[in-house]
Amino acid sequence: MGLFDPDRYFSRVTRISPEADLVACGFENMLLDMDNTILSRATHDIPRDVRAWLADVREAGVNICLLSNNWHKTPFEWAAELDLPVVAKALKPLPHGYLAARAKLGARSANTVVVGDQLSTDVVGAHLLGMQAYLVCPLVEQDLKHTLLLRNFERALLGARTPEGAQACEGRE
Ligand SMILES: [Mg+2]
C-alpha cells in the first residue's frame, strides 16, 4: 500500500455503502473529512443525500469523528448540528489529529477507515498510521487556492484510476 495510493476510490461519499464497504470490511469507525467531502465549498452546506448517508452510516453502527484541517469555527458548528465528535485544526497529514480523533472513538487502526477528498492530506495521514483510506471525488470543483494546486498533483498521481460508482468524477454540483 503506497502512501499516496487510496485503498478505495469513490465518485461521491454517498457511494460508500455502509454495509458492504464499511461493516463487511470490519470498519466500526470512520474519521471523516469535512470540506468538499461532506460539506460543499460552493454552497457551504451539506447536501441532502450526504445527510441521509451520514444517518445510514450511523444506523449501520459505524462511529464517526469529523477530522478537519479547517481553522474556523465551522467544524464545531457542524459537529454540534450533526451531533458528532470533531477534531479541527488537524494539520493533516500529521498524525496528532488522527490520533486524537481515533481516541475520541476508542478506535484502533485496524477497525478504522479514513474518508476524504484529498490524497496529500486525508490519504497520506491515514497510511502513515497504518489505517485504510477511502478517497472520494470532491463534491464541487470550487476550493481553496492551495487545495486546487495540490489537486493537480493528486490528479497526476491518480492517473487513469476511475472512481467506483461513476464513469469519472462527473455529476457534481
Ligand atoms: Mg477536504
Side-chain angles (χ1 to χ4, degrees), residues 15-171:
R15 293 289 185 169
I16 299 171
S17 159
E19 291 296 338
D21 302 319
L22 299 175
V23 175
C25 297
F27 295 130
E28 299 166 18
N29 305 284
M30 178 191 291
L31 309 188
L32 182 62
D33 175 53
M34 296 191 66
D35 290 312
N36 253 344
T37 294
I38 60 168
L39 183 64
S40 167
R41 279 275 190 207
T43 63
H44 305 290
D45 200 358
I46 299 178
R48 191 176 300 174
D49 65 322
V50 175
R51 289 175 188 261
W53 176 82
L54 285 168
D56 290 345
V57 170
R58 299 171 87 178
E59 183 69 26
V62 177
N63 306 306
I64 301 172
C65 184
L66 301 171
L67 181 62
S68 175
N69 276 359
N70 199 309
W71 284 79
H72 305 290
K73 66 177 184 181
T74 319
F76 299 102
E77 291 172 348
W78 280 113
E81 180 173 335
L82 297 170
D83 192 25
L84 288 172
V86 61
V87 172
K89 305 180 187 176
L91 294 174
K92 292 178 279 186
L94 296 180
H96 70 273
Y98 293 81
L99 293 172
R102 217 171 62 185
K104 277 182 188 264
L105 298 179
R108 294 175 290 112
S109 286
N111 63 11
T112 304
V113 64
V114 176
V115 175
D117 70 311
Q118 284 196 265
L119 277 179
S120 46
T121 54
D122 303 303
V123 173
V124 168
H127 286 171
L128 284 173
L129 289 169
M131 288 187 277
Q132 288 200 35
Y134 288 177
L135 180 70
V136 299
C137 291
L139 287 175
V140 292
E141 287 286 353
Q142 192 172 322
D143 218 322
L144 302 179
K145 259 184 194 157
H146 69 267
T147 303
L148 290 173
L149 285 173
L150 272 176
R151 279 203 202 290
N152 292 330
F153 163 68
E154 294 175 346
R155 281 205 187 98
L157 284 174
L158 279 171
R161 190 160 168 180
T162 307
E164 299 175 45
Q167 305 306 315
C169 286
E170 292 171 350

